[in-house]
Amino acid sequence: MPEFLQFMFSGLTVGAIYALVAVGFTLIYSSSDVINFAQGEFVMIGGMVTYVLAAAGVSLPIAALLAIVVAVAVGLLLHRLAIEPARDASAVTLIIITIGASILLRGVAGVAFDKNFHSLPPFLGAEPWHVGGAAILPQSVIVLAGAGIIVLLLWLFMNRALYGKAMLATAANRVAARLVGIDTSRVVMLSFAVSAAIGAVGGILVTPIVLTSYDVGTLLALKGFAAAMLGGIGNPVGAIAGGLLVGLLEAFGAGYLSSSYKDAIAFLVILAVLFAMPQGLFGRNTIERV
Amino acid sequence: MRGTIARLARNRYAAFMAIAAAVLLLPLVAPSLFYLRIATLVFIFALAVLGLNLLMGFAGQVSLGHAGFFGIGAYAVAVGPAHLGVPAWAALPLGAALAGLLAFVVGRPILRLKGHYLAVATLGMGLLIGMVFTNEARWTGGPDGMPVARLVLLGWTARGTQTWYWISGATLALGALIAINLIDSPTGRAFRAIHDSEIAATVLGVDVARYKLIAFVLSAVYAAVAGAYLALFDGLVTPATAGFLRSIEFVAMAVMGGLGSILGSVVGAALLTVLPQLLTVFHDYEQIALGTIMIVFMIFLRAGIVPGLAALIERKPP
């Protein structure tokens, strides 16, 4: 039982980060049909900028805030300079553009910062708490709580704020949204900004546990993309469920079966789910017009 | 003159002739063996991208896992001679057959998925294959990889850059010829019908599942042969041969060169093989330059380099 709890805690912690990356994918995809493979770089920027500023003597909260600002600025630039000019290009062309952006951002981070692994001090101390015989790091609780708060804020924004409603409307039907006077290209811009902020917060929260470096983004984008597809792309609830599920599968797979094949277990389950439900867990059936 | 060029370009064997001419003429102008080595790498990658282009550009099905098939070909010529007593000349076709068989088995369920779901399923498949290479160290040498014995055929040993230049160049030309003939056959027309609309293709009586599977198996065989060549040329295989980044690289080559363009496959492979070599002069700024070039090319030539330039030339009045 303690073992089970232990695996669950670690699975949920990693899963929460995957979920945040997957939510970022989902937000951008819903408003623009773009699969943004540079999503993992936002997480990297959050962690790395916070570390660099904190190492330079800036207090942690301010460093974290500035890191989010930097990530949002990068997200907006990415949209303005790379996505917007190719707005009407095919999905696969846009994917190559975001992959190019991901390589570019990794390159910039490697030059602007360095190529070493870095960590941040845990926000609430490093002494683990004991729950039911399992140990949980306070930072893990912060990651989970942080992810929960982000999701709650996002839900409030989507359902209460005018801009959030515009995002929902754009996701539901872009032409109809434009017809009722929503500036959809602004909504896409906003979705890049929000996705970047969410990714950066995830990066800041998780860095005390898993370390960060200029090239952590690739793997996170991969897992986040898989999680978003597992949940059903375009569905934020699905993204969160998918992220947590991938994290849990990895942790239990590594714990009970084989640590060298932990990713295999996660992907085997994803394949099995997609064979049974080709639109993901929460995806809707789409109808093709001929 | 312009008319002649236009007529030549419209010939369906134009891409084949261009590739064959490039293979024949390059050694005359290449200043050193180093350039031939790069050209050999280009031909090998182009072969894999050509297969992927049949699947992505013509049948319209994305794959983010083709490095898995590439790796099967590469490890076949490594593991066969080292552990199973199968000589490389036999291990090569066996590896290609194995990749084809695997594509045939997993293709049916995977190819029911569409768009990004298909992308994530093929991504998972590629990762699973790569993990086997990394973890089954007894057979594959694990993360460090393993050496590959030279190809020996009837007492003649294939070694050296020049030998492999001609082998890979000839195979690429042959692969292009096969692809061109396939595209112009009923099978090729079925591919394109599926690309445009699966439902419309079904209504016209195209067995969509079957033709998707044919494209998938074919592309897997192309990738496996290319993988075997790379292993034999390099004399070494590592799990990176079959890594996720390699899969992404293949897709980027196919898209940047031009989906649905035979010549585009070669141009895309050449661009993304030669560029990193040129960009090493930038040292730390290499990735920045590569990322920027990818973005700029895709913004200005959305359909890919070859179709994009062709459209530009045609639009200009003669």
Side-chain angles (χ1 to χ4, degrees), chain A residues 64-79:
Chain A
L65 203 66
L66 286 173
I68 297 171
V69 172
V70 170
V72 169
V74 169
L76 289 174
L77 279 175
L78 171 65
H79 169 251

Side-chain angles (χ1 to χ4, degrees), chain A residues 48-249:
Chain A
M48 284 299 278
V49 173
T50 309
Y51 163 79
V52 169
L53 290 176
V58 181
S59 76
L60 199 57
I62 294 173
L65 203 66
L66 286 173
I68 297 171
V69 172
V70 170
V72 169
V74 169
L76 289 174
L77 279 175
L78 171 65
H79 169 251
R80 184 73 200 82
L81 298 179
I83 305 295
E84 182 73 15
R87 200 175 26 201
D88 306 316
S90 67
V92 67
T93 300
L94 284 163
I95 286 183
I96 300 302
I97 288 180
T98 64
I99 290 173
S102 151
I103 295 174
L104 169 64
L105 288 174
R106 228 178 300 148
V108 172
V111 174
F113 311 130
D114 56 27
K115 297 191 173 176
N116 301 322
F117 281 95
H118 297 293
S119 184
L120 287 169
F123 304 166
L124 283 181
E127 200 56 42
W129 298 339
H130 292 277
V131 183
I136 181 167
L137 289 171
Q139 191 66 30
S140 290
V141 180
I142 292 179
V143 169
L144 279 170
I149 290 170
I150 289 174
V151 170
L152 188 69
L153 284 176
L154 189 65
W155 185 84
L156 283 173
F157 175 71
M158 291 290 219
N159 289 283
R160 297 278 185 275
L162 195 59
Y163 266 109
K165 288 182 178 172
M167 277 178 87
L168 273 185
T170 308
N173 187 329
R174 216 157 304 152
V175 178
R178 217 171 296 152
L179 282 175
V180 296
I182 293 170
D183 184 349
T184 48
S185 86
R186 255 211 132 102
V187 168
V188 176
M189 197 177 94
L190 185 69
S191 72
F192 270 88
V194 175
S195 287
I198 291 176
V201 172
I204 295 162
L205 293 178
V206 83
T207 297
I209 307 178
V210 297
L211 307 183
T212 190
S213 83
Y214 79 108
D215 61 354
V216 291
T218 315
L219 201 62
L220 284 167
L222 189 92
K223 298 287 176 61
F225 174 59
M229 301 314 295
L230 175 63
I233 188 74
N235 184 326
V237 179
I240 295 158
L244 292 176
L245 197 58
V246 171
L248 286 172
L249 281 170

Side-chain angles (χ1 to χ4, degrees), chain A residues 35 85-86 92-93 97 100 103-104 107 111 222 226 229 232-233 260-261 263-264 267 271 274-275 278-279 288 290, chain B residues 112-113 116-117 120-121 123-124 127-128 131-132 135-136 197-199 244 248 252 255 284 287-288 291-292 298-299 302:
Chain A
I35 296 280
V92 67
T93 300
I97 288 180
I103 295 174
L104 169 64
V111 174
L222 189 92
M229 301 314 295
I233 188 74
S260 49
Y261 277 106
D263 288 337
F267 272 99
L271 285 174
L274 288 182
F275 292 158
Q279 306 289 327
E288 185 187 349
V290 182
Chain B
R112 278 176 48 226
L113 301 169
H116 300 311
Y117 292 97
V120 83
L123 171 85
L127 286 177
L128 289 172
M131 258 176 261
V132 172
N135 291 326
E136 300 305 315
S197 164
E198 280 190 28
I199 292 178
F244 165 67
I248 295 285
V255 175
D284 286 347
Q287 282 191 313
I288 300 179
T292 310
M298 287 317 335
I299 288 175
R302 288 172 197 190

